[in-house]
Amino acid sequence: MSSAKYVAELQPDSLMRLVTLLATWLAGAAGVTVLCGLPVDPLLRVGAIAAWITWVACNGMRRRAAEQGLQRIRLFADGSAALLRPDGSWTPAMLGADSTVLAGLAWLHFNAEAGLPHTELLRGNSRESEDWRRLQVIWRHREQRRDGALGSSS
């Protein structure tokens, strides 16, 4: 069956959001640790640490704002998506090329028409969720189209 008729509607997972938030802060702490050990002028080191902490904090706040503005994700067979906002409106978006879908996890990067890019870590089970099965089909067909386009250009 063609995936052209397939639509997958997924809800962000609060546990996966917590995991990505913790990973962001752990990466921030690791960066500070690395910067503390650099053999450079102490003033330069303090400036680098301040810049790193600022970048990590801004990234975390941007991610949190994007998460609060996203209730559901609707993925279409052509790679487009729609993001449900708290006010009930659907915002068009494109699924980024750097997205990855595995059997039980998906790392989806969206470029929304309105707003900043957003990444969402999702988990699912094909045996329990029809939408997760649809996501798998959409993803396989998307990858086949991409591989076919790459193969025909050589």
Side-chain angles (χ1 to χ4, degrees), residues 1-7 76-78 138 141 145:
M1 174 182 238
S2 168
S3 68
K5 299 176 185 174
Y6 273 59
V7 175
F76 302 97
D78 64 356
I138 289 169
H141 284 247
R145 282 194 310 271

Side-chain angles (χ1 to χ4, degrees), residues 20-44:
T20 56
L21 178 66
L22 290 174
T24 299
W25 292 114
L26 285 174
V32 168
T33 303
V34 169
L35 291 170
C36 284
L38 287 179
V40 296
D41 182 75
L43 191 56
L44 183 61

Side-chain angles (χ1 to χ4, degrees), residues 58-126:
C58 288
N59 189 36
M61 288 186 297
R62 182 194 61 78
R63 177 170 194 60
R64 184 72 177 134
E67 287 174 351
Q68 289 176 338
L70 177 62
Q71 305 293 311
R72 293 187 74 73
I73 302 163
R74 191 177 283 164
L75 297 167
F76 302 97
D78 64 356
S80 64
L83 309 176
L84 181 62
R85 300 295 175 191
D87 65 2
S89 66
W90 288 91
T91 301
M94 286 302 295
L95 190 57
D98 54 349
S99 297
T100 302
V101 176
L102 304 172
L105 284 174
W107 182 254
L108 303 178
H109 182 87
F110 300 99
N111 294 308
E113 289 183 5
L116 296 169
H118 179 65
T119 304
E120 196 71 49
L121 180 62
L122 303 169
R123 62 185 168 150
N125 186 331
S126 299

